[in-house]
Amino acid sequence: MAVVLLIVVQSKSYAGGGFPVRPGRLTLSPSVSYFFADKQWDSHSNKGPFADNGKFSSLSTSLYAEYGLSRRFTLSALIPYAANTYKDNTATYKNSGFGDAEVGIRYYLANINYKYYFSLQATAIIPMYTNLNLGYNQKGGELRLAFAGSGHLFGKNSYFILENGVREYFGYESVFQDRYNATYGLTLDKKFREQISVSFGGFYASSDNKSFSPNPNTSKNFAFNQVSVSYGHSFSKKVALFISGGTFVTGRNTGAGSNISASLNYHIDTK
C-alpha cells in the first residue's frame, strides 16, 4: 500500500506537503486508489510479464488528518486499508486489512519572505495487522525534509513541493527506504478553484532479503520511479477534490504498474 499512497498523500493539495497549516485548522482527507500491474522489472531492471500470466491489483482507501498546533508545528496521522489480489493461470490469492498507521509531527524550520518554506517531519510507523501479505509487520520511523514555494508562470499562480524522506523498519530483515517526490502545479483560474500538477517520485528500498514479490507491500529490496498528473477542484474554501493518475517508468525487482486515485480535502477551523 505504500506504493499506492505515495501519490495520494503527497500531491493532494496546494496547502499540503511543505506549506504551513493555519493554527487550529484540521484537514481531513479520505482517499481511494486503484493500482494494477501485469508486468515486472527483475533484479537487473529488465521488464517482462509475470510468470503464468500473473496480474496484481490493489484497491486501497485511507484517512489522512493534519492539525495545525501552532505557526511552526503540525500533527498528522494516516490510517490505510487495502484489498489485494494476485491471479495467474494456476490460482488466485486475495487478502485485505489495515496497513501501517503513521503518526507524525512537522516543524517549519524557516521561510524566505513567506513564499518559500523549509520543514522537517518525524513519523512513527505502527503496523495494524499480523498478515504478512499486508506489510512487513515491523515498527519503523521516518525523517522527511521538504522545501516548498509559490510564484507565477505564464500569468498563472504556481507552486512546487520537493520532499525526501528516509525510513527504517526495525526487526528481523529490517528495511531501509528512501522516498522522494517533486511536484509542480499551476492554478488555472483567478478564483483559485482549478489547479493541475505534475509529479515525479519514487522509492529505493534495501534489505538483506532480496526476494521478488509482485505485492509491493511485502517487497523488501526494490526501486522504482513514477510520473503522475493531478487535477484539483475547490468547491469552496473548505472542500476540494483531487484526482490523480500515475505510472511506473523505471524499476528494479518490482511490479511495473499504474494507479488512479481520488482524494477529498475538508478543512475545519477550530480557532
Side-chain angles (χ1 to χ4, degrees):
M1 185 176 324
V3 172
V4 177
L5 291 177
L6 176 70
I7 292 298
V8 175
V9 174
Q10 290 186 344
S11 61
K12 63 182 181 300
S13 73
Y14 177 93
F19 288 97
V21 176
R22 179 185 302 174
R25 168 166 287 185
L26 173 65
T27 298
L28 297 175
S29 183
S31 303
V32 60
S33 183
Y34 178 75
F35 175 82
F36 175 81
D38 59 1
K39 293 181 174 60
Q40 64 179 354
W41 280 289
D42 63 18
S43 60
H44 301 289
S45 296
N46 297 312
K47 189 176 181 179
F50 287 135
D52 297 318
N53 197 32
K55 297 178 176 62
F56 175 81
S57 64
S58 178
L59 179 63
S60 64
T61 59
S62 67
L63 178 61
Y64 176 79
E66 186 169 9
Y67 182 74
L69 297 173
S70 68
R71 295 183 63 181
R72 286 191 176 269
F73 285 95
T74 65
L75 183 67
S76 65
L78 173 71
I79 299 178
Y81 186 93
N84 304 319
T85 301
Y86 182 77
K87 181 179 180 180
D88 59 23
N89 293 334
T90 62
T92 299
Y93 306 92
K94 294 184 177 182
N95 56 82
S96 60
F98 288 100
D100 290 323
E102 300 183 10
V103 178
I105 188 166
R106 179 182 296 144
Y107 176 69
Y108 291 92
L109 300 166
N111 73 81
I112 303 175
N113 297 325
Y114 296 98
K115 292 181 63 178
Y116 305 99
Y117 298 89
F118 300 87
S119 64
L120 180 67
Q121 179 168 335
T123 301
I125 303 159
I126 307 166
M128 298 188 296
Y129 55 89
T130 56
N131 184 350
L132 291 179
N133 290 311
L134 295 171
Y136 304 145
N137 193 24
Q138 294 176 338
K139 295 179 180 178
E142 181 186 79
L143 287 177
R144 177 172 294 272
L145 183 66
F147 173 46
S150 58
H152 293 84
L153 181 67
F154 304 127
K156 304 291 185 181
N157 290 287
S158 64
Y159 68 94
F160 69 86
I161 303 172
L162 304 175
E163 296 181 288
N164 190 81
V166 290
R167 174 175 293 205
E168 181 81 19
Y169 289 87
F170 309 109
Y172 176 69
E173 294 180 347
S174 62
V175 182
F176 170 82
Q177 293 182 349
D178 182 15
R179 304 175 172 207
Y180 47 89
N181 188 70
T183 297
Y184 187 84
L186 288 173
T187 301
L188 303 178
D189 65 320
K190 295 182 179 180
K191 295 184 178 180
F192 299 94
R193 290 184 177 178
E194 317 291 336
Q195 67 169 267
I196 189 169
S197 64
V198 294
S199 298
F200 175 83
F203 273 44
Y204 170 83
S206 176
S207 172
D208 291 337
N209 184 343
K210 303 184 185 304
S211 61
F212 172 80
S213 171
N215 184 346
N217 304 321
T218 60
S219 294
K220 293 188 173 183
N221 192 291
F222 68 96
F224 74 85
N225 290 303
Q226 68 176 0
V227 294
S228 64
V229 177
S230 178
Y231 169 77
H233 173 76
S234 296
F235 297 98
S236 67
K237 292 183 179 181
K238 292 186 176 182
V239 181
L241 175 67
F242 296 87
I243 299 174
S244 300
T247 188
F248 291 11
V249 292
T250 63
R252 174 186 56 81
N253 209 33
T254 188
S258 300
N259 73 284
I260 56 173
S261 60
S263 163
L264 186 69
N265 281 14
Y266 180 63
H267 301 305
I268 303 172
D269 290 320
T270 63
K271 294 182 180 180

